[in-house]
Amino acid sequence: MPILVLLSFFHLSLVSSHRSVNGFTLDLIHRDSPLSPFHNPSNTPYERLQNAFDRSFSRASFLKEKCDNSIQSTVIPRGVEYIMKISIGTPPIDTHLIVDTGSDLSWTQCEPCIKCFKQLTPIFNPKKSSSYKTLGCNNKLCQDGEFFQTCTNNTCNYNATYGDLSHTTGYLSTETFKFASTSGEHVSIPNIAFGCGHDNGGLFTNASSGVIGLGCGNAISVVNQMNQEIKGKFSYCMIPLESLSINSNATSHISFGDNAVVSGPGVVSTPLFKQKLSMYTFYYLNLKGVSIGNKTLEFKSSKISPTVGDGGNDQGNIIIDSGTLLTFLPQDFYESFESRLKSLISAPKKVDPSGTDRLCYESDENGTIDLPKIVAHFTDADIELLPSNTFPQVKEGLVCLAILPSYDFFGQPAIFGNLAQANFLIGYDLVANKVSFKPTDCAYRH
């Protein structure tokens, strides 16, 4: 549903009890990292990758449902790829939240539970926090209406239902969110609006207690709520999955505010688009074409709603998504893309062991094959995709393409997945409406 945290390094300025945050950086914990409560040490690296492929299909299917139904929320629990570890309340209670750039509403389970799923950390009890407050009916966040807000005794209620019928219901409230670095530094941001869920159920697991939303479509998004502190900027740098098998302590990271500025040699930027209607919560880019070797294929996608952005006559036509491992392209375009790849790859072709008919090849002892240069051409930004972005090793001696067709291309959007984004520092500037890319070794702490 998305992304998922421990703090690693930050630079910030603190002023009295109302802390003025210039910028901070957090570790972005992949669900399969030993740092994650989702981690299953019995799984092999190849099993973890296959599980991530399966979650991508679930996530892509959900995004299609989101296209068809603007009322549903934007995270699917089975699609979780990253988690965030934060503390909530006064005194602070540790919790793990699913993080997603495609979701606006943040929420966590709360006592007393009408119905709650099991979680590894204690369930937050608002009665034990001196900084907890419910939102009244006249609050503008309560009047938005996206999450079925209703009022009881001047308390704002919310109800969010997911594509798989998982749900959360409770009170829209405010609380202090505390982020702690591994060096012991702390930054607290008061009055963050979130859902205090008293009735929650479905396919959530005990490894998380809720969701933190980094979408851009609603004022309740944490990114929008922290706008004064972070100036509309956040960035992330995701490590390739194979890095976890090489170094179990390697971790991705996410930055906010001044720490999120992407600059220096090699940086390219492309306009950011925001959907006005049912897909408004997602971040869109405009993909103009893809080069394979010396030939460029013009990108064509199904027509989408008009978007808001600074791309001139361009429109957003592909979601950039942190919660989907794979990249999905419209079927007609994918067929041309795959045909071109096949004509230029000389490695022995192999059958996809997963049965999903991916394009697979026998690899050398290093888990690689000779590939033509692959470049994604976004408006004003050319992004060269490395073999680790396109052909991961799915088992010993075998690599498979991590780009697949959207078979129902009249309803399912194109998606630029997180594997294609690995080893790029990617910065979002919601004020300038742009996304910047910089080739980076994301396992290195910057």
Side-chain angles (χ1 to χ4, degrees):
M1 188 204 115
I3 38 193
L4 326 175
V5 213
L6 288 172
L7 287 169
S8 62
F9 167 85
F10 51 61
H11 170 76
L12 36 93
S13 173
L14 305 180
V15 180
S16 71
S17 61
H18 297 283
R19 293 176 170 126
S20 177
V21 182
N22 290 334
F24 56 97
T25 299
L26 313 144
D27 283 350
L28 197 58
I29 304 174
H30 192 272
R31 61 168 292 144
D32 291 325
S33 164
L35 299 174
S36 166
F38 285 95
H39 178 65
N40 183 348
S42 65
N43 285 345
T44 68
Y46 305 125
E47 287 173 332
R48 295 185 186 117
L49 184 59
Q50 183 57 51
N51 290 339
F53 281 176
D54 293 340
R55 291 191 299 271
S56 282
F57 289 111
S58 176
R59 169 79 166 176
S61 176
F62 176 75
L63 294 185
K64 176 187 178 298
E65 292 180 24
K66 178 63 179 173
C67 287
D68 297 336
N69 187 348
S70 62
I71 297 177
Q72 290 178 330
S73 185
T74 55
V75 171
I76 183 166
R78 288 171 293 182
V80 55
E81 291 299 318
Y82 294 93
I83 59 171
M84 177 181 285
K85 181 182 178 182
I86 67 172
S87 299
I88 299 175
T90 308
I93 299 297
D94 290 343
T95 189
H96 291 90
L97 300 178
I98 300 168
V99 184
D100 188 13
T101 53
S103 178
D104 292 326
L105 178 69
S106 298
W107 63 272
T108 189
Q109 297 200 113
C110 291
E111 296 281 6
C113 284
I114 298 172
K115 178 182 178 183
C116 288
F117 54 88
K118 292 182 179 180
Q119 63 179 65
L120 297 176
T121 55
I123 295 177
F124 176 66
N125 188 341
K127 291 183 179 180
K128 295 182 178 180
S129 173
S130 61
S131 50
Y132 174 83
K133 296 178 182 178
T134 56
L135 290 182
C137 300
N138 293 327
N139 188 286
K140 62 180 181 180
L141 293 177
C142 187
Q143 296 170 359
D144 180 84
E146 182 176 346
F147 303 104
F148 304 101
Q149 290 94 325
T150 59
C151 271
T152 304
N153 298 325
N154 198 34
T155 300
C156 186
N157 305 303
Y158 79 92
N159 177 23
T161 301
Y162 297 91
D164 60 0
L165 299 184
S166 296
H167 70 277
T168 175
T169 301
Y171 301 126
L172 281 183
S173 312
T174 62
E175 188 52 283
T176 297
F177 281 31
K178 179 178 285 188
F179 305 92
S181 74
T182 53
S183 64
E185 297 282 354
H186 296 272
V187 58
S188 295
I189 301 180
N191 301 318
I192 294 292
F194 75 110
C196 199
H198 298 282
D199 185 346
N200 320 285
L203 297 179
F204 300 103
T205 70
N206 64 0
S208 69
S209 67
V211 170
I212 186 163
L214 300 179
C216 61
N218 189 291
I220 204 169
S221 165
V222 168
V223 172
N224 290 330
Q225 290 190 63
M226 297 193 304
N227 184 63
Q228 183 176 351
E229 290 87 357
I230 69 174
K231 308 174 187 70
K233 296 180 178 65
F234 73 93
S235 67
Y236 53 74
C237 203
M238 294 183 286
I239 61 174
L241 287 184
E242 61 262 27
S243 296
L244 291 176
S245 59
I246 299 172
N247 178 7
S248 62
N249 292 321
T251 184
S252 303
H253 61 269
I254 185 169
S255 300
F256 298 90
D258 291 349
N259 284 27
V261 175
V262 179
S263 61
V267 174
V268 293
S269 299
T270 186
L272 170 67
F273 299 87
K274 306 165 191 175
Q275 284 287 53
K276 286 185 177 180
L277 301 176
S278 64
M279 300 294 285
Y280 188 89
T281 191
F282 293 106
Y283 298 101
Y284 278 80
L285 306 180
N286 186 65
L287 182 61
K288 302 178 79 70
V290 178
S291 293
I292 305 174
N294 59 4
K295 182 178 180 180
T296 300
L297 305 175
E298 181 183 358
F299 181 74
K300 296 180 180 179
S301 65
S302 54
K303 185 178 180 181
I304 62 174
S305 302
T307 50
V308 178
D310 292 332
N313 294 323
D314 290 332
Q315 289 189 337
N317 58 14
I318 187 168
I319 295 172
I320 178 170
D321 187 38
S322 64
T324 307
L325 178 80
L326 302 174
T327 290
F328 290 89
L329 301 173
Q331 184 176 3
D332 288 351
F333 180 83
Y334 175 82
E335 289 174 354
S336 299
F337 176 84
E338 183 188 82
S339 176
R340 175 67 176 166
L341 274 178
K342 287 179 177 178
S343 70
L344 297 177
I345 296 176
S346 59
K349 194 172 182 300
K350 295 294 182 180
V351 175
D352 178 8
S354 72
T356 55
D357 201 28
R358 293 172 298 186
L359 186 60
C360 298
Y361 291 96
E362 180 181 318
S363 66
D364 60 23
E365 59 184 10
N366 296 317
T368 61
I369 58 174
D370 288 331
L371 287 173
K373 184 176 180 179
I374 302 174
V375 180
H377 300 285
F378 297 98
T379 300
D380 301 328
D382 295 337
I383 309 298
E384 182 177 351
L385 301 178
L386 301 178
S388 59
N389 299 119
T390 54
F391 275 92
Q393 188 176 19
V394 299
K395 62 183 297 185
E396 188 172 356
L398 186 71
V399 296
C400 292
L401 182 62
I403 300 172
L404 293 174
S406 298
Y407 288 107
D408 183 7
F409 89 123
F410 289 105
Q412 186 167 308
I415 302 169
F416 191 61
N418 65 51
L419 187 62
Q421 301 173 52
N423 275 344
F424 286 97
L425 178 58
I426 301 176
Y428 294 70
D429 187 332
L430 307 185
V431 176
N433 283 321
K434 68 177 182 179
V435 176
S436 299
F437 294 79
K438 182 179 182 179
T440 304
D441 181 357
C442 291
Y444 171 73
R445 293 187 183 274
H446 301 276

